[in-house]
Amino acid sequence: MFVKKKKVEMAGPSGKKEKVAKAGPSGGGGKKKKDVKKETGLGLSVKKDENFGEWYSEVCKHEMIEYYDISGCYILRPWSMAIWEIMQTFFDAEIKKMKVKNCYFPLFVSPGVLEKEKDHIEGFAPEVAWVTKSGKSDLEVPIAIRPTSETVMYPYYSKWIRGHRDLPLKLNQWCNVVRWEFSNPTPFIRSREFLWQEGHTAFASKEEADKEVLEILELYRRIYEEYLAVPVVKGMKSENEKFAGGLYTTSVEAFIPNTGRGVQGATSHCLGQNFAKMFEINFENEKGETEMVWQNSWAYSTRTIGVMIMTHGDDKGLILPPKVASVQVVVIPVPYKDANTQGIFDACTATVAALSEAGIRWKYSNWEMKGVPLRIEIGPRDLENDQVRTVRRDNGVKEDIPRGSLVEHVKELLEKIQANMYEVAKQKREACVEEIKTWDEFIVALNKKKLILAPWCDEEEVERDVKARTKGETGAAKTLCSPFEQPELPEGTLCFASGKPAKKWTYWGRSY
Ligand code: 87F
């Protein structure tokens, strides 16, 4: 019944189908690039526009991740973990307002429950990792490692839900999952183990479930747009691309202009009653009749961080949006010969003290290479004028600000940086959007790495056909989502691919 559809070919960070060199502890097959480094005079050896794949991997290595000696696994270093924790603090507080409670279910799945759901798991089976030994002896029964927790949690939903008073049941867990991917591992974007939150909720009515799907999707939009300064489109997944075990899937979709690829940012599913049927999750309603629950599930993962890096980084390295930067300001003393060195250091100390008091996250060092949003320099001239020099990481703009109004100015600047990063990313994305009407226009736009908005008949067979017709070196095109905000669709508009009457506007493109 719930067979996962065959995946389209996957792409690495470069957007091309490529084999990522098996990484060793030394950092993964990278060649010496000192010469190029000298050439650019910057911290990175490659430019974002020239070799996106290399660029991405180099930027990630700038203390966000470390490659590990198991392919597809990465170490999240404090610099990236801090970003995850900031998003977690926001999201966790928001779902608690919605009365969602946190819990923790085991990492291991018994083959029995996995089997119970075998129709749904079938397509995913090759990605499930198994523990088969303890020490040298074989386990009597091998144990699976959770790739997601439906089969782990729902037997207990069945046990815990009896009557209408047990509903809604709203649980979330922050955890790791393992999916043994075979195609192009990419830090944050596609790894064999990743961190996520998975929410699993059960309701008495479809209306309540429908409402929650969109509330959660709005939180995902806010994570991307308000925190990571990455513009996303909210929309509905096609029948081909939805979670096969559910009723419908909504998502937030981002777009990476450099590779011309869409990337699914997070998903919020209405599962309908499919799992309730499978796991016998029933309740007695107010009239004493037995009914099945309506369920949702939703998740966002550490992929968010990869999308942020790809969106904002430049030839100098990372650029972190102030809201998620664990260090928002670096304070740098610029002493000259014969200058009042002590005075400069005192001014730096006073500056960081003022920032700390205002809750602004600062560091007293030269960390701007790692994407710190704002740099403050204090030299002899600044000391003389009782000012500091600010340098923005996003656009390089320098400004002298009086020390008397340091904190207000810095707060304002951080807000401006956050807003500007979002605006710039949005403009870049908008410049990639192309509305097309015909197959020929579609192919031209696809080759130009566009984010394609096309009128579509919404038929599964037609999407499969588009995939087949666009299959090539760089992977097939597919639907990303049908945006909730639909442009007007004039009467008589035809589907770009089938020529049948179009039902909706849908975003198409290659994707991660
Ligand atoms: C890989 C192996 C086994 C995705 C898998 O999106 C099973 C699966 O069920 C699998 N990869 N999925 C779909 C996950 C659906 C759903 N789970 C809860 C979510 C949100 C959180």
Side-chain angles (χ1 to χ4, degrees):
M1 185 174 24
F2 304 137
V3 178
K4 188 181 122 179
K5 320 287 186 334
K6 198 178 174 309
K7 276 191 185 160
V8 288
E9 283 148 341
M10 296 294 188
S14 66
K16 295 200 190 87
K17 271 203 293 168
E18 61 184 346
K19 287 227 165 63
V20 170
K22 214 174 142 207
S26 62
K31 44 184 189 300
K32 287 252 156 65
K33 305 194 194 72
K34 282 212 176 95
D35 300 346
V36 201
K37 213 174 229 175
K38 265 187 202 147
E39 231 170 72
T40 60
L42 304 166
L44 300 180
S45 70
V46 279
K47 292 191 167 166
K48 191 178 187 182
D49 288 341
E50 285 168 9
N51 187 344
F52 186 77
E54 271 296 324
W55 171 87
Y56 178 69
S57 130
E58 228 181 281
V59 172
C60 284
K61 284 186 214 155
H62 249 274
E63 294 186 35
M64 295 290 264
I65 59 130
E66 181 69 69
Y67 281 74
Y68 193 61
D69 69 347
I70 295 171
S71 171
C73 297
Y74 306 94
I75 299 161
L76 300 190
R77 300 184 64 185
W79 202 236
S80 59
M81 199 61 195
I83 297 173
W84 182 244
E85 284 175 344
I86 289 170
M87 289 191 276
Q88 184 173 23
T89 302
F90 162 73
F91 189 79
D92 202 64
E94 289 298 322
I95 59 174
K96 278 180 179 145
K97 287 185 206 161
M98 294 168 66
K99 307 251 166 61
V100 176
K101 295 209 160 67
N102 280 329
C103 62
Y104 188 77
F105 281 75
L107 169 70
F108 298 118
V109 195
S110 70
V113 280
L114 213 57
E115 184 70 8
K116 186 165 181 173
E117 211 213 356
K118 74 170 185 295
D119 289 341
H120 148 238
I121 219 84
E122 197 174 80
F124 294 120
E127 288 178 16
V128 178
W130 293 84
V131 179
T132 58
K133 277 179 186 290
S134 82
K136 284 197 171 131
S137 31
D138 288 339
L139 291 189
E140 213 164 285
V141 188
I143 292 168
I145 301 175
R146 67 172 164 234
T148 176
S149 300
E150 281 80 358
T151 59
V152 177
M153 296 168 90
Y154 297 168
Y156 298 89
Y157 280 43
S158 168
K159 181 178 176 193
W160 296 335
I161 298 168
R162 292 276 169 243
H164 59 91
R165 284 189 196 85
D166 300 321
L167 293 172
L169 178 62
K170 303 185 186 188
L171 299 181
N172 175 69
Q173 66 176 0
W174 293 96
C175 64
N176 57 340
V177 286
V178 171
R179 294 179 184 173
W180 215 252
E181 301 267 1
F182 293 96
S183 50
N184 309 304
T186 305
F188 301 114
I189 300 289
R190 191 177 308 105
S191 54
R192 285 178 164 173
E193 180 188 358
F194 55 85
L195 303 182
W196 74 353
Q197 59 64 221
E198 51 178 321
H200 295 265
T201 52
F203 301 89
S205 70
K206 180 167 185 294
E207 292 65 44
E208 292 167 88
D210 285 338
K211 182 166 165 271
E212 189 207 57
V213 165
L214 296 183
E215 281 171 9
I216 294 292
L217 196 68
E218 172 61 8
L219 294 180
Y220 292 152
R221 183 200 66 77
R222 290 183 60 195
I223 287 181
Y224 275 96
E225 299 199 334
E226 292 178 11
Y227 280 75
L228 301 171
V230 171
V232 288
V233 176
K234 289 207 270 190
M236 186 68 77
K237 286 294 210 185
S238 70
E239 278 302 302
N240 271 301
E241 291 300 323
K242 74 171 193 186
F243 172 36
L247 191 58
Y248 64 86
T249 295
T250 66
S251 69
V252 288
E253 301 282 330
F255 187 74
I256 310 299
N258 298 75
T259 56
R261 284 181 187 269
V263 52
Q264 180 176 287
T267 48
S268 181
H269 313 280
C270 177
L271 303 177
Q273 296 179 308
N274 295 334
F275 285 93
K277 206 174 292 165
M278 259 185 287
F279 288 90
E280 297 174 51
I281 315 176
N282 304 314
F283 70 100
E284 197 178 293
N285 69 17
E286 273 139 336
K287 292 184 218 144
E289 305 152 343
T290 301
E291 278 190 63
M292 281 187 285
V293 298
W294 292 87
Q295 287 177 276
N296 291 341
S297 75
W298 26 273
Y300 81 92
S301 72
T302 36
R303 172 177 266 205
T304 43
I305 300 173
V307 177
M308 176 210 76
I309 298 171
M310 288 183 169
T311 302
H312 300 303
D314 67 7
D315 292 344
K316 290 185 199 160
L318 266 177
I319 307 182
L320 299 178
K323 271 194 140 179
V324 293
S326 58
V327 173
Q328 296 171 308
V329 182
V330 289
V331 180
I332 302 174
V334 193
Y336 283 104
K337 257 194 285 173
D338 307 328
N340 178 1
T341 310
Q342 190 54 48
I344 289 170
F345 279 95
D346 289 347
C348 286
T349 312
T351 300
V352 298
L355 295 178
S356 295
E357 205 166 301
I360 297 165
R361 305 186 284 268
W362 59 273
K363 196 85 196 173
Y364 190 15
S365 115
N366 60 342
W367 281 27
E368 73 275 26
M369 292 296 297
K370 285 161 54 180
V372 175
L374 192 67
R375 189 167 91 222
I376 292 181
E377 295 174 349
I378 304 177
R381 204 176 55 87
D382 302 305
L383 205 59
E384 241 168 63
N385 300 335
D386 200 25
Q387 64 185 28
V388 301
R389 151 98 17 138
T390 57
V391 188
R392 285 172 62 161
R393 176 64 181 90
D394 62 329
N395 61 11
V397 168
K398 295 179 177 153
E399 209 183 323
D400 293 325
I401 59 172
R403 279 176 62 193
S405 56
L406 174 82
V407 169
E408 302 92 281
H409 263 99
V410 169
K411 277 188 176 166
E412 205 175 285
L413 271 171
L414 292 175
E415 273 163 29
K416 277 188 185 159
I417 294 168
Q418 182 81 30
N420 183 55
M421 286 179 71
Y422 176 75
E423 279 312 317
V424 168
K426 194 164 177 189
Q427 275 170 24
K428 282 187 189 160
R429 187 198 61 184
E430 291 313 309
C432 292
V433 176
E434 196 149 310
E435 238 179 71
I436 60 100
K437 294 274 174 58
T438 66
W439 178 259
D440 289 347
E441 287 171 2
F442 178 77
I443 292 299
V444 172
L446 194 62
N447 290 336
K448 287 197 293 186
K449 296 184 180 172
K450 295 291 179 181
L451 170 54
I452 302 167
L453 189 57
W456 181 38
C457 63
D458 197 13
E459 287 181 18
E460 282 180 69
E461 196 43 55
V462 173
E463 179 168 6
R464 272 195 285 276
D465 187 51
V466 172
K467 277 185 190 170
R469 287 158 81 185
T470 54
K471 205 171 170 175
E473 251 301 283
T474 46
K478 59 175 191 173
T479 58
L480 304 172
C481 74
S482 299
F484 290 141
E485 270 180 38
Q486 285 277 314
E488 200 204 321
L489 188 67
E491 218 18 76
T493 306
L494 302 179
C495 168
F496 77 102
S498 68
K500 295 179 192 176
K503 293 210 182 99
K504 49 163 79 154
W505 288 96
T506 299
Y507 280 108
W508 293 74
R510 296 196 171 95
S511 76
Y512 279 97

